[in-house]
Amino acid sequence: MKLSVIGSGYVGTVAGACLAEMGHDVCLIDRDEERIRSLQRFQVPFYEQLLPELIRKHAGHRLYFSTDFSGPVRDSAAVFVAVGTPSLHNGEADLSYVDSAVREVAKIIRNYTVVIEKSTVPVMTSRAIRKVMILNGAPEGNFDVVSNPEFLREGTGVTDFLYPDRIVVGSPSEAATDVMSGIYAPLLDGSYYRREDIIVPPAEPRSTPQWIVTNPISAELIKHASNSFLAMKISYANVIANLCEAVGAEVEHVCRGLGTDSRIGEKFLRPGIGYGGSCFPKDVAAFSSVARELGYRFGLLQEVAAINAEQQVRFVRKVKGALWTLRDKRIAALGLAYKGGTNDIRESPALSVIRMLLDEGCEIVAYDPAAMDKAAKEIQSERLTFAATPYEAVTNADAMMILTDWKEFAELDLSRIRKLLKYPIVVDGRNLFTPQQMETAELIYHSVGRTESPVAETLAFDATKS
Ligand code: UDX
Ligand code: UDX
């Protein structure tokens, strides 16, 4: 099928490349000329596994890049709208990019076209898109607006797209549903998975995706409800971790006990310094704000966000507990990205911890495998410097903090770290190590939701009293 994707951000680029991989002819459109030029040179503007390979594989054959809407959109059976929907100050999503993309589409289409809402948008946006289409001259019977929310995670976006748990289609008509099932046919009938040149599936076994067809409003709600639920699960795990610390329980054991109940599930119960990224904080705020507009006070979600913010403050207190005073302490910060496997620093809990410690007068030496350039632009402080390796970062530092769950941090040579640090103190906000590993390496270890080793307990200062 001929398809267009408007918006070459994270969701749009992954969707465009994966749709080409599934066998469609795709044009990825963006008004940002620089971005389109770099994609034409196979340069992906963000760090995402497998995406450069897919772009190299399909660019020029099935995948094209353009700044011009008219030709590709006119020829497409369906147009995916995947432009950004950033948060406004009041938590509402800013839909002006969706509005302007849809206005262009309305003026261009000639034959029946399905306009697919792919960006995460508040419930009832599909109705607004329909109105904008009509106001801008698209005849009513000539288009349908479908909500087809995306559940991909940064870092594993390509496999999440090609091996999804479910495909949700909020469609107002049979004609639109037919177009959607044509688009996803290679995944639904399994023909993609039988090809020889496929992207290798993720490690955990997955069955053929569930095909969930509903009306557009319900599909929009599924997206909000899913992301907010996952954020709620993380905040829940963080509260459990805090209670574990208070009573001397082990959070990993407790969460395993919780998660192995198949009604609860083990995923997204990892405690730490909270969730970040471009989705969870924004979606929790947007869902609360939608509920408020509808006259419902969604106190549960407000608490989810409050617990998340508090988790970062608690971590800073933990660092203070390990070091007694913070002013002029030199602290190595391993991790800047909001999670491992990405260079994205949007709403990163790591940066919020670093900001708080800079405010307390600390000197921070940071290292991240992918996010240092972005972080350097985001936080400008004489007391924040960047190191070329994790070992350089810890050299002569008063303590080492782990703020992002990068795989390479879990593989660090701890005896080397022990020799380089001024004091053998590690404060781990992602529970990447076991207390036993740290004890063997003779490092004093503080982590989240676990009992402290006797030596860590003896040597910690009670930050609440100092
Ligand atoms: C529950 C727990 O499921 C079980 O693990 C525990 O050992 C005892 O308590 P039970 O009360 O028998 O079991 O029934 P359950 O099916 O879990 O439902 C409990 C209540 O929640 C019922 O009133 C049910 O109607 C309600 N419920 C359940 C919902 O409102 N929504 C649901 O999705 C599930
Ligand atoms: C999320 C959703 O998972 C995805 O379905 C949606 O389409 C976009 O938002 P993403 O933001 O890319 O994806 O990352 P995810 O892996 O979900 O992690 C989000 C944040 O939660 C990260 O900061 C991560 O470190 C944190 N997290 C995740 C935890 O703190 N604990 C967990 O158990 C899981």
Side-chain angles (χ1 to χ4, degrees):
M1 291 169 78
K2 281 199 186 323
L3 305 171
S4 294
V5 178
I6 305 175
S8 66
Y10 180 76
V11 172
T13 310
V14 172
C18 290
L19 290 165
E21 168 73 3
M22 284 155 61
H24 300 296
D25 284 333
V26 183
C27 187
L28 186 58
I29 303 161
D30 201 300
R31 61 179 182 187
D32 181 339
E33 287 180 17
E34 180 51 41
R35 189 162 267 213
I36 290 297
R37 266 200 300 274
S38 58
L39 283 165
Q40 283 163 340
R41 293 193 300 265
F42 307 147
Q43 283 163 2
V44 183
F46 38 80
Y47 181 92
E48 182 63 36
Q49 276 176 35
L50 300 172
L51 192 55
E53 285 92 314
L54 276 192
I55 287 180
R56 248 177 269 123
K57 184 171 168 191
H58 299 297
H61 315 287
R62 287 209 201 112
L63 181 60
Y64 299 88
F65 307 102
S66 173
T67 50
D68 176 30
F69 277 61
S70 50
V73 167
R74 189 174 302 126
D75 294 340
S76 290
V79 179
F80 287 83
V81 178
V83 296
T85 53
S87 281
L88 293 169
H89 290 302
N90 59 1
E92 272 176 43
D94 176 357
L95 297 175
S96 53
Y97 300 115
V98 176
D99 185 10
S100 66
V102 170
R103 271 185 275 140
E104 295 286 333
V105 173
K107 289 178 204 149
I108 292 164
I109 58 166
R110 297 281 175 273
N111 304 318
Y112 175 74
T113 308
V114 176
V115 179
I116 303 168
E117 186 186 272
K118 200 66 171 161
S119 313
T120 301
V121 289
V123 63
M124 289 190 301
T125 301
S126 58
R127 282 195 190 163
I129 293 179
R130 187 170 177 78
K131 280 187 199 155
V132 172
M133 290 287 294
I134 293 168
L135 282 173
N136 285 279
E140 269 203 61
N142 221 15
F143 73 93
D144 272 315
V145 181
V146 164
S147 165
N148 173 216
E150 194 44 72
F151 301 100
L152 45 88
R153 291 161 299 171
E154 289 189 26
T156 54
V158 169
T159 44
D160 286 344
F161 193 99
L162 294 169
Y163 298 89
D165 290 329
R166 78 293 209 192
I167 296 164
V168 174
V169 167
S171 164
S173 75
E174 222 168 281
T177 310
D178 286 348
V179 170
M180 296 307 292
S181 53
I183 294 172
Y184 287 104
L187 306 186
L188 297 171
D189 64 18
S191 56
Y192 174 70
Y193 306 124
R194 289 191 293 275
R195 268 172 35 191
E196 277 178 5
D197 64 333
I198 56 168
I199 290 287
V200 178
E204 58 203 55
R206 295 202 189 178
S207 44
T208 313
Q210 299 269 339
W211 175 241
I212 298 172
V213 179
T214 178
N215 58 37
I217 293 180
S218 304
E220 289 168 341
L221 213 53
I222 288 171
K223 173 70 190 186
H224 272 320
S226 302
N227 270 6
S228 299
F229 189 87
L230 292 171
M232 179 181 78
K233 247 184 132 177
I234 298 168
S235 279
Y236 192 82
N238 280 326
V239 171
I240 298 293
N242 300 341
L243 292 175
C244 284
E245 286 176 17
V247 298
E250 301 297 335
V251 74
E252 266 95 10
H253 299 187
V254 176
C255 283
R256 180 133 195 272
L258 254 174
T260 41
D261 182 329
S262 61
R263 293 169 301 178
I264 298 172
E266 283 182 272
K267 291 180 184 165
F268 281 71
L269 283 178
R270 288 193 322 274
I273 51 172
Y275 60 77
S278 67
C279 285
F280 285 170
K282 184 179 87 172
D283 289 355
V284 168
F287 201 16
S288 291
S289 145
V290 165
R292 196 167 47 240
E293 271 173 35
L294 299 171
Y296 182 75
R297 198 189 72 83
F298 206 155
L300 179 64
L301 284 192
Q302 284 153 18
E303 197 54 33
V304 166
I307 292 166
N308 198 56
E310 173 66 18
Q311 203 62 12
Q312 287 139 38
V313 176
R314 277 184 69 94
F315 183 80
V316 170
R317 239 181 270 144
K318 209 179 276 265
V319 176
K320 191 168 182 191
L323 289 172
W324 190 26
T325 60
L326 291 173
R327 177 162 304 284
D328 296 330
K329 292 281 162 71
R330 179 185 168 94
I331 306 177
L334 300 196
L336 298 161
Y338 79 96
K339 65 171 188 178
T342 172
N343 68 346
D344 199 336
I345 53 162
R346 283 177 286 177
E347 303 284 333
S348 173
L351 295 198
S352 99
V353 164
I354 288 172
R355 279 199 189 94
M356 282 186 261
L357 289 171
L358 288 171
D359 286 346
E360 293 280 345
C362 293
E363 186 193 331
I364 304 286
V365 190
Y367 170 78
D368 187 285
M372 289 200 284
D373 291 349
K374 285 194 176 182
K377 283 185 201 130
E378 180 73 21
I379 308 182
Q380 276 144 10
S381 163
E382 277 173 11
R383 278 178 285 115
L384 171 64
T385 54
F386 297 91
T389 66
Y391 301 104
E392 186 187 316
V394 302
T395 303
N396 216 19
D398 290 271
M400 169 176 110
M401 301 187 292
I402 301 174
L403 303 178
T404 306
D405 54 345
W406 277 101
K407 201 165 149 269
E408 70 171 81
F409 295 161
E411 291 159 2
L412 286 172
D413 176 350
L414 293 181
S415 58
R416 191 168 162 204
I417 297 277
R418 167 81 177 79
K419 283 186 203 122
L420 293 170
L421 277 167
K422 183 151 77 177
Y423 299 106
I425 298 172
V426 175
V427 194
D428 182 356
R430 298 291 187 173
N431 288 2
L432 287 195
F433 292 94
T434 62
Q436 291 72 26
Q437 282 171 297
M438 287 289 170
E439 214 175 306
T440 312
E442 295 177 359
L443 284 158
I444 301 167
Y445 186 51
H446 304 273
S447 52
V448 181
R450 292 139 148 197
T451 46
E452 304 267 90
S453 69
V455 57
E457 202 167 13
T458 315
L459 290 178
F461 302 93
D462 188 342
T464 51
K465 289 182 197 141
S466 57

